[in-house]
Amino acid sequence: MKQSEFKKRRQALMKQIGQGNIAIVASADALIRNRDVHYRFRQDSDFFYLTGFNEADALAVFIPGRKQGEYVLFCREFDPTKAIWEGAHAGLEGAIRDFAADDAFPIDDLDEILPGMLENKGKVFYPMGKNSDLDHKLLDWINHIRKQSRSGVTAPGELVSLEHIVHEMRLFKSAEEIKLMRRAADISAQAHMRAMQFCQPGVYEYQVEAELLQVMMQQGLREVAYPSIVAAGKNACVLHYTENNDKLRKGDLLLIDAGAECECYAADITRTFPVSGKFSEPQRLLYQLVLDAQQAALAEIAPGVPWNKAHEASVVVLTKGLVELGLLKGRVNKLIKDEKYKQFYMHRIGHWLGMDVHDVGDYKIKDEWRLLEPGMVLTVEPGLYVAADCETVDKQWRGIGIRIEDDVLVTADGHEILTAAVPKTVDAIEALMRRT
Ligand code: GLY
Ligand code: MN
Ligand code: MN
């Protein structure tokens, strides 16, 4: 991502903060995995969105109209020994030279410098409740300024949620962002196709996971956007199954929910296909029903359509189909009203997608479902999950879990499916699996 993109975002933020106010955003912490080993670092999405700065121990301050510079970055000072052991880090000079900060200070001096920046400001835009250490510090700094009121300084009078502004910005993807999301989607699509071709009875779920990662990593995407779900047979009925240690059996379906991350932008794809390469009759019937529900939901993705329409469309198709196949009994309208379908379809149709897999942005505005607008990206992912011990349905349906998930960009005249490359009709899946 170009620096100019981050700059544009900061300028847009600055405008919304307004002169006389201040905003503060902290980086993610480096997290310990065990003893002296860290997890691979993943920057806080809001912080990265505004700075492009990929280090821990950093804090960005935005002060519209500040004469010495509006964008201040606190970060670690350059340490040559650290550079030898751990590699590059920007330091104060790098923060200014490479990340376009107007001013940079050592993070160790935060306590001395930041309180002065808060003096005589009206509002502090800040993500309260995300980092309790910083929450306490901020309140201490503000209280400290209050005590100095007799010397003429005033303390900020209002703490305002910064997330509300930043998350609304993040909901609408720019051309640059869509480029990265396309790359995440394309490579994840290739990974899913590879998994379909690799899959056969007797291999283990983790071996399929390894194939997915191999395709992603070979192309430079080292991070998955969330832990991959590779769930054979009844494991697919556990919505967030990540053990991935079971053997694939001949008559089972395999559900894979996996997506790569590209420069902090996620893909999120699910496909479900037969381990042996051919759907059994009950599997095919339920699969086709989920696919029909997905098509009905996708038909509702266009500008001006309320967010919930796609979900409602999927509920109607699934409930009707479940009645036709005999898994539910009763009148469709009543079953929908009583939410009886939730026994088999217990999640919603999807979510916003972006830097976080379950991305930020409000789904409702003033209690009304929000209308879709161009530039939004969301998932469309209906599913059916019949528990292995579900005694209310015929045995042939039990232990089948199916989800079909695509990533969809809302465009000016409808939508574009970013993950359309992965086959999803029964015929196309069976054809791809024959070509191994
Ligand atoms: N992979 C998480 C989800 O589909 O929501
Ligand atoms: Mn999803
Ligand atoms: Mn998913």
Side-chain angles (χ1 to χ4, degrees):
M1 183 85 72
K2 287 187 231 133
Q3 272 304 318
S4 57
E5 175 90 1
F6 296 110
K7 189 167 180 192
K8 234 189 279 169
R9 296 171 183 174
R10 289 193 293 269
Q11 283 168 343
L13 176 72
M14 230 55 100
K15 233 187 225 164
Q16 296 190 66
I17 298 168
Q19 294 251 356
N21 302 316
I22 182 170
I24 299 170
V25 198
S27 72
D29 290 329
L31 297 176
I32 304 259
R33 181 177 182 275
N34 59 308
R35 197 163 159 80
D36 59 350
V37 177
H38 287 85
Y39 285 104
R40 196 144 64 204
F41 181 68
R42 168 57 156 83
Q43 189 55 282
D44 175 83
S45 297
D46 286 342
F47 183 87
F48 194 76
Y49 181 81
L50 293 167
T51 64
F53 194 73
N54 202 23
E55 293 181 29
D57 297 325
L59 183 129
V61 184
F62 305 99
I63 313 172
R66 179 174 176 264
K67 288 203 185 63
Q68 311 90 305
E70 299 182 313
Y71 167 35
V72 180
L73 200 52
F74 288 84
C75 63
R76 294 182 294 213
E77 287 184 272
F78 186 77
D79 173 351
T81 309
K82 196 177 161 65
I84 290 170
W85 284 85
E86 293 172 29
H89 51 290
L92 306 185
E93 279 175 27
I96 293 170
R97 185 188 58 232
D98 302 331
F99 295 91
D102 296 319
D103 218 348
F105 297 102
I107 189 75
D108 291 336
D109 295 348
L110 190 66
D111 275 319
E112 284 82 65
I113 298 172
L114 193 55
M117 295 177 168
L118 293 167
E119 287 177 3
N120 303 322
K121 298 294 182 302
K123 298 177 189 166
V124 183
F125 289 83
Y126 175 74
M128 205 66 193
K130 222 166 138 180
N131 176 335
S132 63
D133 278 356
L134 194 57
D135 289 356
H136 283 116
K137 273 189 185 174
L138 180 62
L139 294 179
D140 285 349
W141 293 329
I142 293 177
N143 275 329
H144 184 73
I145 301 171
R146 259 191 211 129
K147 286 186 194 135
Q148 298 171 333
S149 62
R150 266 171 294 165
S151 60
V153 291
T154 57
E158 223 180 310
L159 273 178
V160 185
S161 158
L162 177 73
E163 279 115 320
H164 193 74
I165 299 177
V166 178
H167 293 179
E168 190 66 16
M169 290 166 66
R170 279 177 52 190
L171 179 57
F172 295 89
K173 274 68 179 176
S174 69
E176 289 288 319
E177 290 178 290
I178 290 166
K179 222 190 273 174
L180 297 178
M181 293 193 75
R182 265 186 215 289
R183 184 162 150 77
D186 288 346
I187 292 174
S188 304
Q190 290 171 33
H192 276 261
M193 289 190 275
R194 171 73 198 135
M196 282 182 190
Q197 293 182 294
F198 172 80
C199 174
Q200 57 173 303
V203 309
Y204 282 83
E205 291 166 343
Y206 53 75
Q207 293 177 308
V208 180
E209 183 180 10
E211 289 297 308
L212 295 164
L213 293 178
Q214 135 84 11
V215 174
M216 296 172 187
M217 284 212 186
Q218 278 293 343
Q219 298 184 70
L221 303 195
R222 287 185 67 212
E223 300 288 347
V224 282
Y226 54 92
S228 304
I229 298 169
V230 182
K234 64 178 169 30
N235 296 338
C237 297
V238 179
L239 295 183
H240 289 157
Y241 176 83
T242 50
E243 276 91 344
N244 298 359
N245 57 6
D246 231 345
K247 201 190 251 188
L248 274 51
R249 290 179 184 80
K250 193 166 163 240
D252 283 345
L253 292 177
L254 180 66
L255 181 154
I256 299 180
D257 184 345
E261 192 175 77
C262 177
E263 292 184 39
C264 287
Y265 286 85
D268 183 9
I269 305 179
T270 307
R271 288 293 185 269
T272 311
F273 51 93
V275 167
S276 65
K278 193 145 181 58
F279 287 88
S280 72
E281 190 59 9
Q283 288 168 350
R284 188 180 63 77
L285 289 167
L286 281 186
Y287 184 87
Q288 189 58 48
L289 180 51
V290 177
L291 188 57
D292 291 346
Q294 204 214 21
Q295 299 296 5
L298 286 166
E300 301 290 351
I301 307 296
V305 180
W307 160 264
N308 206 38
K309 277 274 183 190
H311 182 70
E312 287 168 0
S314 70
V315 166
V316 170
V317 172
L318 290 176
T319 309
K320 264 191 194 160
L322 288 169
V323 171
E324 278 162 23
L325 296 175
L327 284 91
L328 284 177
K329 290 180 185 62
R331 276 191 16 248
V332 171
N333 284 350
K334 174 101 169 76
L335 292 167
I336 291 176
K337 192 162 155 273
D338 297 344
E339 300 187 335
K340 294 292 185 202
Y341 59 85
K342 280 195 174 170
Q343 182 186 357
F344 305 112
Y345 177 35
M346 54 294 277
H347 57 76
R348 295 189 56 84
I349 191 68
H351 47 84
W352 304 129
L353 183 71
M355 298 182 81
D356 296 309
V357 63
H358 297 160
D359 206 30
V360 294
D362 291 334
Y363 291 91
K364 279 188 170 178
I365 294 178
K366 293 197 183 106
D367 261 3
E368 296 287 332
W369 291 109
R370 158 170 226 154
L371 304 184
L372 297 176
E373 293 179 57
M376 294 173 166
V377 181
L378 51 118
T379 67
V380 177
E381 50 176 309
L384 279 179
Y385 314 88
V386 188
D389 60 358
C390 178
E391 298 201 338
T392 62
V393 303
D394 194 86
K395 275 204 182 98
Q396 62 177 333
W397 310 115
R398 294 183 200 167
I400 296 181
I402 297 165
R403 179 163 64 256
I404 306 172
E405 174 174 31
D406 281 299
D407 303 344
V408 185
L409 165 69
V410 183
T411 59
D413 51 5
H415 66 258
E416 179 190 342
I417 302 176
L418 302 176
T419 47
V422 203
K424 62 181 173 185
T425 64
V426 167
D427 286 349
I429 288 174
E430 290 184 349
L432 179 65
M433 293 185 75
R434 272 197 300 275
R435 274 199 285 122
T436 52

